Amino acid sequence: MLNPFENDERRAFQDSVRKFMETEINPYVDEWDEAGGYPHEVNEKVCALGVFGFDIPEEYGGLGFDDMHMRKAVGLEMGRSSAGGVMASVGARSIMLKPLTELANDEIKARALPDLLSGKKGGALGITEPGGGSDVANIKTVAHKDSDEWVLNGQKMFITGGMQASYFVIAARTGKDGMGGISLFFVDADTPGFTRTPIERKMGWWASDTATLYFDDCRVSADNLMGEENKGFYAIMNNFNYERFLMAAQMTGMSMRLFDECVAYAQDRETFGDKLISHQVIRHKLADMSARIDAMDAYLNQVAEIVNRGENALAEISKLKFYCSTNLEENASAAMQIMGGAGYLRGNAVERIYREVKVQAIGGGSEEIMRDLSVRLMGI
Amino acid sequence: MKILVPVKRVVDYNVKIRVKPDQTGVDLANVKMSMNPFCEIAVEEAVRLQEAGTATEIIVVSVGPTQAQETIRTALAMGADRGILVKTDDDLEPLGIAKVLKAVVEAESPDLVILGKQAIDGDNNQTGQMLSALLGWSQGTFASELGIDGDKVNVTREIDGGLQSVKLSMPAIITTDLRLNEPRYASLPNIMKAKKKPIDEKQLAEYGVDAAPRLEIVKVAEPAEREAGVKVETVGELVDKLKNEAGVL
């Protein structure tokens, strides 16, 4: 569908990312998924495209500008690659870059940002705990001040990119119960008292490194407190918007890939003496998929433009995320029906995306939380 | 050292080509276009020579419609310094292109012209060689390796049955083969920088060359579809089929 916000740079950038994915990622997705990991240099190759540097000053290796349409292009092409696990791992840094850039002190920024943006080192954000992820206001990990240090105790769970990461942004309770007592900390992976174990055997995202993080009297300098004490909740909520927008774009790209895969298959496969694509039941499924994809795409464009213009789009982003995940689920289901047995075999994009629907519907804010949040933000 | 890199806008290599129903050519309506892959290799090689400190300026030239500017912009995002678009809506043959390039070379005086061995649309594989003949310059075609040595350039050529090493005196023409390098992907910072790099727009007529076509396209058709093979029971049957059906014996 025609994108009314396209211009030469946005198109050139999307073309470049797409070509990269088609050449450097697509041919290896199955292999990496089965292996449960990917070569480290992939981080550097993806980062070299400049896909994570939005809104980060050039002195730290960032782009020095922001553009939601370009952020959308990144998500779309990551999603279209069907390499959800690889992109989740590589992209894990993207959700800790914003708080790092805005809240960390200059020494930490100068040390960590160039490494993270070049892909030399990994980063991860630690919010979710064994006791729950959606209820951010009630996290249990604590940090208490001991002279000029903070001492962290607790656990973080389902931390994407957590095994590779060298740098973490961790949410911990520093004050009273609820949202007003949470602070953010910068933690180096080699800090004494910090350990981690991999979480394996996931439904999808096989190539991604997901971790449980443990903090046992993990001491960090007072300078590692990011931003104001007890003001971390607002930073977390603000940060989620970019993650959710990126996920919505990924889900749209995943849907585009599903559509292309099953059109190609239906054009080739013959049933009842005719090509699959000529059967009305299949054609109607494709029409529905295509209409849903156009709607997701247009919604993304609209939200991107609103944010670009500096307007508040918090409710819209919440709605966008669950709108995309419910549509992705329908698209994945329709695509699987069109592919039939061929789709059910391991090692094809439709099967992989089908397994990755739920991580998109749950991670970064579950559909239930997104619905609740959006009506609340609308003042209802 | 100054390098000129001619680039061509072609149908993207991923696109499934469709022939127009009236068989006059390939259907280009709503088809994704991008830089010819061999041209990308040429740009990449020039950029590497610049990064190595050997080349001082890279000029990219394209002869084609207004949209060819996008192709030039891609080359600028890969690292070239400036562009020249010679505008024409006509579909020029290699000889016409070579004549235009000769005029550009005379105006810009590059030490090297690096270009793709062929474009994936016409597959002509002629422009580099014709340019070499028109200029009277040395040529190293189908390069898989290239090294600058003072005012000479060492080229490893991919030829039937092996590799051939030649030493050329500059100025020279190089045409690139697939294995010369792996072109980089334009990064976002470089795409934004490319926006500010100059592209000089010229009209074909300004060069005063006779670029009229020498060939007449009679018909463009899809290649015959491959048919399934057959199994033969005996050698006798095979010989019979070769003789009477295939007509090759």
Side-chain angles (χ1 to χ4, degrees):
Chain A
M1 196 170 65
L2 183 87
N3 179 353
F5 304 108
E6 186 176 86
N7 61 27
D8 288 347
E9 304 84 69
R10 289 170 184 161
R11 185 178 47 244
F13 176 54
Q14 186 166 354
D15 280 354
S16 193
V17 178
R18 184 167 183 171
K19 192 170 172 193
F20 172 86
M21 295 294 169
E22 283 170 354
T23 318
E24 306 287 335
I25 305 292
N26 274 354
Y28 313 104
V29 180
D30 293 325
E31 187 187 317
W32 293 341
D33 234 25
E34 292 292 342
Y38 60 90
H40 183 267
E41 68 252 26
V42 173
N43 292 308
E44 293 176 43
K45 285 184 180 176
V46 176
C47 287
L49 297 167
V51 294
F52 298 124
F54 296 105
D55 207 19
I56 298 174
E58 286 175 88
E59 57 181 301
Y60 297 122
L63 293 164
F65 70 91
D66 201 355
D67 179 39
M68 293 302 282
H69 294 291
M70 288 183 173
R71 286 187 189 244
K72 176 201 161 195
V74 173
L76 274 188
E77 297 312 326
M78 283 184 165
R80 200 196 312 262
S81 75
S82 86
V86 181
M87 293 308 143
S89 260
V90 178
R93 76 198 65 234
S94 73
I95 59 173
M96 53 87 81
L97 286 170
K98 187 177 169 65
L100 196 58
T101 307
E102 289 177 356
L103 303 174
N105 68 37
D106 291 346
E107 183 274 323
I108 290 174
K109 282 197 278 193
R111 182 156 59 88
L113 283 172
D115 282 351
L116 290 164
L117 287 165
S118 66
K120 284 196 188 77
K121 292 188 175 170
L125 177 71
I127 309 282
T128 301
E129 300 188 344
S134 295
D135 192 5
V136 178
N138 285 311
I139 57 167
K140 302 279 184 280
T141 297
V142 293
H144 70 267
K145 195 88 182 276
D146 182 18
S147 67
D148 59 349
E149 287 183 322
W150 285 95
V151 186
L152 278 72
N153 277 290
Q155 293 179 26
K156 294 290 172 185
M157 187 122 186
F158 304 128
I159 305 306
T160 304
M163 291 309 293
Q164 286 190 63
S166 301
Y167 307 121
F168 292 89
V169 171
I170 301 295
R173 183 162 305 284
T174 46
K176 59 183 182 191
D177 286 350
M179 62 179 85
I182 298 167
S183 302
L184 293 178
F185 293 92
F186 177 81
V187 180
D188 280 89
D190 56 6
T191 311
F194 169 80
T195 50
R196 53 187 158 184
T197 51
I199 297 176
E200 286 160 348
R201 298 179 60 76
K202 303 183 289 290
M203 180 180 186
W205 279 9
W206 294 346
S208 76
D209 56 315
T210 313
T212 306
L213 314 179
Y214 306 91
F215 301 88
D216 300 297
D217 286 332
C218 175
R219 286 175 174 270
V220 297
S221 154
D223 295 337
N224 287 32
L225 171 69
M226 293 171 51
E228 281 183 62
E229 193 176 331
N230 296 327
K231 292 281 172 63
F233 184 80
Y234 310 101
I236 295 168
M237 289 298 129
N238 183 16
N239 184 48
F240 266 139
N241 290 307
Y242 291 90
E243 178 182 5
R244 288 168 185 161
F245 180 84
L246 187 72
M247 291 177 82
Q250 280 178 324
M251 291 187 260
T252 308
M254 290 158 82
S255 296
M256 289 170 173
R257 177 65 180 274
L258 289 168
F259 184 80
D260 290 347
E261 289 289 327
C262 48
V263 166
Y265 181 75
Q267 281 172 334
D268 189 51
R269 167 89 168 156
E270 284 189 23
T271 54
F272 304 103
D274 228 335
K275 295 282 188 199
L276 195 57
I277 194 118
S278 61
H279 297 301
Q280 198 179 43
V281 283
I282 301 298
R283 300 180 70 78
H284 284 189
K285 277 192 174 64
L286 292 172
D288 288 342
M289 283 176 81
S290 179
R292 283 192 290 262
I293 293 166
D294 285 353
M296 293 158 87
D297 195 31
Y299 204 167
L300 275 168
N301 285 339
Q302 190 73 11
V303 171
E305 189 62 20
I306 292 171
V307 179
N308 261 8
R309 292 183 186 185
E311 301 293 332
N312 177 328
L314 302 179
E316 286 76 11
I317 289 176
S318 302
K319 287 184 271 186
L320 174 69
K321 182 171 183 283
F322 78 75
Y323 184 80
C324 286
S325 60
T326 48
N327 278 296
L328 171 64
E329 186 160 355
E330 291 201 37
N331 289 335
S333 179
M336 190 59 97
Q337 288 302 120
I338 294 171
M339 297 289 288
Y344 198 67
L345 299 176
R346 226 152 103 166
N348 75 84
V350 174
E351 182 261 353
R352 188 165 43 251
I353 292 173
Y354 192 88
R355 280 189 286 102
E356 293 176 357
V357 166
K358 282 298 174 188
V359 72
Q360 298 282 351
I362 296 167
S366 71
E367 285 179 358
E368 293 73 14
I369 293 290
M370 291 298 93
R371 287 192 173 99
D372 182 60
L373 185 60
S374 57
V375 283
R376 262 197 290 138
L377 286 166
M378 289 160 67
I380 299 167
Chain B
M1 189 175 78
K2 206 164 158 181
I3 302 178
L4 182 74
V5 185
V7 296
K8 186 175 185 183
R9 181 173 180 267
V10 298
V11 174
D12 188 82
Y13 70 101
N14 266 325
V15 171
K16 194 167 179 284
I17 299 291
R18 284 191 317 266
V19 171
K20 283 187 198 164
D22 63 1
Q23 298 195 318
T24 55
V26 168
D27 190 357
L28 296 180
N30 299 318
V31 167
K32 182 172 159 52
M33 308 288 284
S34 47
M35 194 194 300
N36 174 40
F38 290 107
C39 301
E40 281 187 338
I41 294 171
V43 174
E44 175 67 32
E45 197 62 20
V47 173
R48 288 186 190 188
L49 287 171
Q50 192 171 42
E51 285 170 345
T54 316
T56 48
E57 191 184 20
I58 303 168
I59 307 148
V60 176
V61 58
S62 192
V63 184
T66 312
Q67 297 92 320
Q69 207 179 86
E70 287 170 23
T71 311
I72 296 175
R73 210 53 89 182
T74 305
L76 297 178
M78 289 172 72
D81 298 299
R82 62 185 169 93
I84 302 169
L85 170 64
V86 182
K87 264 176 80 171
T88 173
D89 288 325
D90 297 337
D91 193 9
L92 266 56
E93 290 171 5
L95 183 60
I97 298 286
K99 285 179 180 174
V100 177
L101 292 180
K102 174 175 182 274
V104 174
V105 165
E106 281 164 355
E108 296 287 348
S109 317
D111 301 283
L112 270 185
V113 180
I114 308 181
L115 67 170
K117 69 168 181 177
Q118 67 195 66
I120 59 168
D121 51 2
D123 273 340
N124 287 306
N125 186 357
Q126 295 170 359
T127 306
Q129 295 87 332
M130 285 176 167
L131 180 61
S132 157
L134 292 175
L135 287 166
W137 288 12
S138 322
Q139 57 175 313
T141 50
F142 318 126
S144 64
E145 214 181 318
L146 185 158
I148 307 292
D149 181 9
D151 60 348
K152 306 273 193 241
V153 49
N154 295 313
V155 178
T156 304
R157 304 182 60 230
E158 293 200 357
I159 56 169
D160 289 345
L163 299 172
Q164 182 188 49
S165 301
V166 293
K167 189 188 277 281
L168 315 174
S169 298
M170 287 199 275
I173 311 286
I174 311 287
T175 76
T176 61
D177 216 320
L178 201 60
R179 280 155 288 271
L180 181 59
N181 60 49
E182 283 184 27
R184 69 196 60 196
Y185 302 91
S187 71
L188 184 47
N190 289 335
I191 289 169
M192 300 311 281
K193 273 182 214 147
K195 236 175 102 174
K196 298 191 187 93
K197 293 179 180 177
I199 296 180
D200 197 5
E201 214 172 275
K202 305 268 192 192
Q203 298 295 329
L204 179 62
E206 291 176 45
Y207 290 94
V209 297
D210 170 17
R214 266 51 172 179
L215 303 172
E216 185 195 343
I217 293 176
V218 181
K219 187 172 96 172
V220 177
E222 302 249 6
E225 237 178 86
R226 266 187 79 169
E227 288 178 15
V230 289
K231 272 188 180 169
V232 292
E233 296 291 334
T234 63
V235 174
E237 194 187 341
L238 175 66
V239 172
D240 177 64
K241 281 191 185 295
L242 289 174
K243 204 178 269 180
N244 298 318
E245 282 181 32
V248 294
L249 285 182

